[in-house]
Structures are given as structure tokens and as C-alpha cells.
Amino acid sequence: NTHPVSKDIVRYVNEHAVIRSIKNLLMTNKPERLYQPNIGSNIQRLLFEPMGNATASLLESLVRDVITNYEPRAKIIEVVATPDYDHNLYTVNVTILLINKADPISFNVLLTRVR
């Protein structure tokens, strides 16, 4: 996003920075980052599997692993992946607790196939 007055890129801070970091980690495949080939999630490979509850539970597990391993500022409370058969995507609802914050934060990530 751009700032309306200065036309510069908007900087994310506090909980928005953590949410953005988690979304970037989820959308990154493992060998994509230069000099850090182990960072990422490889979620894209699961999106081409048959849609169902088994794939949704695997997605939940991968999301938990990525947040636990690569985002030390967040503690997972709940991860729920729901398949949307009509739109051919998964909605992943993530609830986290930030370090030094009392209230949990919940956000959605839409995972869809991209060719």
C-alpha cells in the first residue's frame, strides 16, 4: 500500500507486522529465499490435492509448524482450515497471541491455486 500524502510505501508495525510476516511465510515455498532455502511452508503443493477434510488438517499442521518454527513473536492459539468447494479455495483462520500483548489476534488467509 502507499501512503496517501507522501506516496511512499506504508510501513507495518506491531500486530500488522507479525500478521504480514506470517502471511509471507505461508506463501513462500521452501527453496525460494536466497541464502535461506529452509524458510517457507510448501503449502502450494497441497492446494492441488483433492479438496477435503484430510487436506484441510494437513494445511492446519503446516501452518502450525511454520508459525512455531519461524515466527517467535507469536504463540498459536487456534488454526482452522475450512474448504470452500464453491470457490475452490481454503479459508484458514489463525488465532495467535503476541508476546507482550494481552488480547489474542485473529485473521484469515485465503489459500487458492495459482498456475
Side-chain angles (χ1 to χ4, degrees), residues 41-96:
S41 65
N42 284 341
I43 283 181
Q44 299 295 326
R45 67 181 169 84
L46 284 179
L47 297 179
F48 290 95
E49 295 296 322
M51 188 172 274
N53 292 331
T55 306
S57 68
L58 284 172
L59 282 172
E60 290 173 2
S61 175
L62 280 176
V63 170
R64 285 180 190 276
D65 290 344
V66 166
I67 295 173
T68 302
N69 293 333
Y70 301 117
E71 189 50 70
R73 301 173 286 184
K75 182 179 177 183
I76 301 169
I77 295 175
E78 184 179 32
V79 177
V80 178
T82 308
D84 184 359
Y85 297 102
D86 294 334
H87 297 102
N88 201 19
L89 58 86
Y90 287 93
T91 302
V92 180
N93 187 344
V94 180
T95 305
I96 58 172

Side-chain angles (χ1 to χ4, degrees), residues 1-112:
N1 297 338
T2 59
H3 192 273
V5 176
S6 67
K7 304 295 185 209
D8 199 8
I9 296 175
V10 176
R11 195 175 102 187
Y12 290 103
V13 293
N14 299 332
E15 63 269 358
H16 298 292
V18 176
I19 291 170
R20 188 54 142 179
S21 172
I22 291 171
K23 287 182 180 180
N24 284 339
L25 285 169
L26 293 177
M27 297 302 169
T28 302
N29 289 324
K30 283 217 176 186
E32 283 182 2
R33 289 202 182 181
L34 292 176
Y35 306 112
Q36 296 176 331
N38 294 327
I39 293 180
S41 65
N42 284 341
I43 283 181
Q44 299 295 326
R45 67 181 169 84
L46 284 179
L47 297 179
F48 290 95
E49 295 296 322
M51 188 172 274
N53 292 331
T55 306
S57 68
L58 284 172
L59 282 172
E60 290 173 2
S61 175
L62 280 176
V63 170
R64 285 180 190 276
D65 290 344
V66 166
I67 295 173
T68 302
N69 293 333
Y70 301 117
E71 189 50 70
R73 301 173 286 184
K75 182 179 177 183
I76 301 169
I77 295 175
E78 184 179 32
V79 177
V80 178
T82 308
D84 184 359
Y85 297 102
D86 294 334
H87 297 102
N88 201 19
L89 58 86
Y90 287 93
T91 302
V92 180
N93 187 344
V94 180
T95 305
I96 58 172
L97 184 65
L98 295 181
I99 306 274
N100 298 330
K101 294 281 184 176
D103 299 326
I105 298 169
S106 182
F107 62 95
N108 290 330
V109 179
L110 297 177
L111 300 174
T112 184

